[in-house]
Amino acid sequence: MRRLNSVKFVWKPNGSIPWMEMYQKLVAYKTQHKSTNVPFKYKKDPKLGSWANTQRWKFKNNELSEERINHLESISFVWSDVQWTAMYHKLAEYKRQHHGSTLVPLGYTEDPFLGRWVYNQRYAYNKGNLLGKRLKLLNAINFVWSLKNNASS
């Protein structure tokens, strides 16, 4: 290693970041956002969104080691839109039960994850990070994007 260092060997080709370093960034993202579903164009750390997407692609193509899969699954990594879709259906059910309202309170005690998820959808939308398919689905149920004009919330 000393010999390689003495000739200025490049340990990280093309500025790549080691896998565990990116994983730790993902853990920090999850701590802050309560989700591992990093937007592809995450402005605070563009490499993180791309990296997370690459992990999904490698998993789908059986190119991800079991060790890395285990690390990602230990933090409930979102492999696909399955979790998002499940939450979307919970929101549709909430709307049916609450007279057409999609104004789920952030502290909704019956399902705290739903309140957080709804908040995250608005946040992603306002940051320009909501995917087209998701945006269309939420618009299809008349999702309320802004709370400014809704004094009841």
Side-chain angles (χ1 to χ4, degrees):
M1 214 159 116
R2 281 190 298 245
R3 285 183 180 171
L4 289 172
N5 285 337
S6 73
V7 295
K8 299 190 184 337
F9 181 78
V10 178
W11 292 101
K12 296 181 193 176
N14 301 324
S16 67
I17 300 172
W19 193 91
M20 279 307 286
E21 190 175 325
M22 293 303 295
Y23 172 76
Q24 291 304 324
K25 287 183 176 196
L26 179 63
V27 170
Y29 179 91
K30 181 180 180 183
T31 299
Q32 181 180 359
H33 299 279
K34 309 293 185 241
S35 170
T36 60
N37 203 3
V38 184
F40 184 72
K41 294 182 180 183
Y42 182 50
K43 292 178 184 172
K44 284 187 179 179
D45 188 349
K47 288 184 180 180
L48 183 59
S50 175
W51 180 85
N53 194 53
T54 298
Q55 303 317 298
R56 289 180 185 97
W57 183 87
K58 286 184 173 188
F59 177 77
K60 182 179 176 184
N61 291 291
N62 296 316
E63 295 180 17
L64 200 58
S65 73
E66 187 174 335
E67 178 186 16
R68 289 181 176 179
I69 292 169
N70 289 338
H71 275 298
L72 292 167
E73 289 188 344
S74 76
I75 60 167
S76 302
F77 185 69
V78 177
W79 294 108
S80 68
D81 277 351
V82 171
Q83 285 180 314
W84 189 94
T85 303
M87 293 305 292
Y88 171 80
H89 288 297
K90 283 185 175 188
L91 174 62
E93 180 60 23
Y94 176 95
K95 181 181 177 185
R96 189 185 68 72
Q97 292 178 2
H98 291 88
H99 311 289
S101 174
T102 60
L103 297 170
V104 182
L106 184 56
Y108 183 51
T109 55
E110 288 183 41
D111 188 345
F113 294 111
L114 181 59
R116 170 62 62 185
W117 182 85
V118 166
Y119 171 85
N120 288 338
Q121 301 317 297
R122 286 191 186 100
Y123 182 82
Y125 174 79
N126 289 323
K127 294 291 183 184
N129 293 331
L130 197 65
L131 300 173
K133 175 185 170 186
R134 293 178 177 184
L135 181 63
K136 287 179 185 175
L137 285 168
L138 289 167
N139 281 336
I141 62 167
N142 298 316
F143 187 76
V144 176
W145 294 108
S146 174
L147 300 179
K148 291 177 185 173
N149 298 330
N150 293 289
S152 62
S153 53

